[in-house]
Amino acid sequence: MTLVWVLTLLGILGLLLFDYFFHVRSAHVPTIREAAVWSALYVGIALLFGVGTLIFGGSAMGSEYFAGYVTEKALSVDNLFVFLIIMTSFRVPRENQQKVLLVGIVVSLIARAGFIFLGSALLNSFSWVFYLFGIVLLLTAGNMLKPETEESHQAQNNVVRIARRLFRTSPEFDDDKLFTQLDGKRVMTPMLLVMVAIGGTDLMFALDSIPAIFGLTQNVFVVFTATAFSLLGLRQLYFLLDGLLDRLIYLSFGLAMILAFIGAKLILHALHENNLAFINGGEHIEVVEISTGLSLVVILVVLVLTILASLFSTRGRTQTAMAHIRRDATAYLDSEYTDDPGERERIFLRLLRARDHIVALGPKARQQVKNEPELLALCHQVAETHATLHEGHTKGYIQP
């Protein structure tokens, strides 16, 4: 088993180093095709590892891995929205966002490994911890049921506000440097600060995700590998889903159902293993325990239904359009957002599509739009800037 651990850790380290030296070290804006190819590759590697687990570890271990991987991947997609808010808050240049994400992933992987071994030690020593993990997941599920909008995620951005108060940084980025000179003093750049913010936010996410996967399996190797492979490829997924993150308006509700289901599963297991004196006199209680196979089916069905409901929802398309106008207009008008003309043209065209969607809405759907005059004024401002930069060739874009 030691050899398996060593080979797995070396494989994960190799993938991270490959990601850095061949993609992140040279700052650039990845294309949709590049993000799609590498996202598919990382998912493929994770699935192949799961097949290997199924063959060499048995059906139970394989099922646990796939259930854990799917759950952690779904939670990581929900977390990407907060990463997007942080990137926007810090005005991270598009070319440098890959490096920020990769560093955040490495920090998250190290921190979660620590949480995993700590959680395993607690579960092996104190069976009542299953009750604790179950309650945590039920409370988290309840919080996720609150209606979410783009603005509601700002409340999760406390790390950013605290970091800005505690650390003195330069007002602007200095390429991808972590430190620079300001008034003759060595200070941090926003690049380092945003890495700290992403890493710190990842730590908070771990408090939900680690109990969730322990609710599916207590095998430390499975917990670690499912978590690690769900994080690998997250950088590519961020760019692949760019534009769709706002669209997944029901994902949080689906995740709430999954976490509540796993929380109930944990509490049932805790009752079966019970040794708390004030519960049934310290004796275990015969209850139905939910199998890993059933858990995997429930997780997949809930995710598929909530994703499809989000993608075909008029409300989802409208919320996406509003978010795109706000973020894309800000990005386009920010001269430091990117030096890539293709990226600037991409967000300009996406903003126009979002504007056209808002304009074409019927009276009932239009009630979902907040500050429509402000949004259309932003579109007009961007279109005028675009027309000026392109010597008037796009003046037809200005008026909706």
Side-chain angles (χ1 to χ4, degrees), residues 380-400:
H380 184 80
Q381 184 180 356
V382 170
E384 284 188 320
T385 303
H386 188 273
T388 301
L389 293 174
H390 291 75
E391 299 179 353
H393 292 304
T394 55
K395 288 182 179 177
Y397 289 132
I398 296 179
Q399 296 299 329

Side-chain angles (χ1 to χ4, degrees), residues 71-85:
T71 301
E72 293 297 301
K73 199 69 173 178
L75 288 168
S76 69
V77 170
D78 191 53
N79 299 344
L80 285 179
F81 194 102
V82 182
F83 293 168
L84 178 61
I85 296 295

Side-chain angles (χ1 to χ4, degrees), residues 28-342:
H28 71 285
V29 180
T31 63
I32 294 296
R33 182 178 182 277
E34 178 186 342
V37 168
W38 287 104
S39 291
L41 180 63
Y42 275 102
V43 171
I45 291 172
L47 294 179
L48 283 175
F49 186 88
V51 171
T53 304
L54 197 65
I55 294 172
F56 296 104
S59 59
M61 188 174 178
S63 299
E64 290 173 354
Y65 169 83
F66 282 113
Y69 173 75
V70 171
T71 301
E72 293 297 301
K73 199 69 173 178
L75 288 168
S76 69
V77 170
D78 191 53
N79 299 344
L80 285 179
F81 194 102
V82 182
F83 293 168
L84 178 61
I85 296 295
I86 293 175
M87 296 284 195
T88 304
S89 173
F90 278 100
R91 297 172 57 234
V92 180
R94 189 70 167 175
E95 290 85 352
N96 295 334
Q97 290 182 5
Q98 291 198 94
K99 183 172 288 187
V100 171
L101 287 169
L102 184 60
V103 170
I105 288 168
V106 172
V107 171
S108 177
L109 187 55
I110 294 172
R112 292 185 190 212
F115 282 136
I116 287 168
F117 289 109
L118 175 61
S120 176
L122 289 173
L123 290 173
N124 288 330
S125 302
F126 310 102
S127 61
W128 55 263
V129 175
F130 284 108
Y131 286 114
L132 179 62
F133 280 8
I135 292 171
V136 167
L137 292 182
L138 291 174
L139 291 175
T140 303
N143 289 330
M144 279 190 165
L145 287 175
K146 297 176 182 178
E148 289 193 356
T149 63
E150 182 191 8
E151 290 78 12
S152 68
H153 284 277
Q154 297 287 354
Q156 302 176 26
N157 208 7
N158 293 327
V159 174
V160 177
R161 290 192 288 270
I162 294 172
R164 283 191 180 279
R165 291 176 182 173
L166 292 180
F167 303 105
R168 182 170 181 247
T169 62
S170 60
E172 305 294 339
F173 287 84
D174 187 2
D175 293 327
D176 60 355
K177 295 177 182 177
L178 303 182
F179 294 91
T180 189
Q181 294 291 325
L182 181 64
D183 298 328
K185 296 181 180 180
R186 184 177 171 84
V187 297
M188 292 187 298
T189 67
M191 187 70 175
L192 179 57
L193 197 55
V194 72
M195 288 179 177
V196 172
I198 292 287
T201 305
D202 262 331
L203 290 179
M204 292 189 292
F205 291 148
L207 298 178
D208 298 333
S209 66
I210 298 305
I213 194 168
F214 269 119
L216 298 169
T217 175
Q218 286 81 58
N219 186 314
V220 177
F221 181 75
V222 172
V223 171
F224 175 78
T225 52
T227 301
F229 282 111
S230 71
L231 291 174
L232 292 174
L234 195 59
R235 175 186 64 79
Q236 293 86 346
L237 193 63
Y238 174 86
F239 290 95
L240 179 63
L241 293 182
D242 182 31
L244 282 178
L245 290 175
D246 302 282
R247 188 79 167 267
L248 301 176
I249 59 171
Y250 299 124
L251 179 61
S252 59
F253 294 99
L255 290 174
M257 293 176 63
I258 290 171
L259 292 182
F261 173 79
I262 297 174
K265 183 176 185 294
L266 272 170
I267 290 177
L268 287 173
H269 182 72
L271 290 171
H272 188 268
E273 301 290 326
N274 178 64
N275 57 12
L276 294 178
F278 59 88
I279 298 179
N280 197 36
E283 298 295 326
H284 76 278
I285 303 174
E286 290 295 336
V287 293
V288 175
E289 290 209 71
I290 303 169
S291 68
T292 304
L294 177 60
S295 300
L296 180 57
V297 171
V298 169
I299 291 166
L300 289 173
V301 169
V302 170
L303 284 177
V304 169
L305 290 177
T306 52
I307 290 172
L308 288 177
S310 297
L311 293 178
F312 289 100
S313 165
T314 300
R315 175 172 168 247
R317 291 195 295 272
T318 302
Q319 183 169 307
T320 301
M322 289 189 293
H324 282 179
I325 290 175
R326 292 191 188 99
R327 281 201 296 267
D328 290 346
T330 302
Y332 191 89
L333 296 171
D334 185 354
S335 60
E336 296 183 359
Y337 171 71
T338 179
D339 294 325
D340 186 342

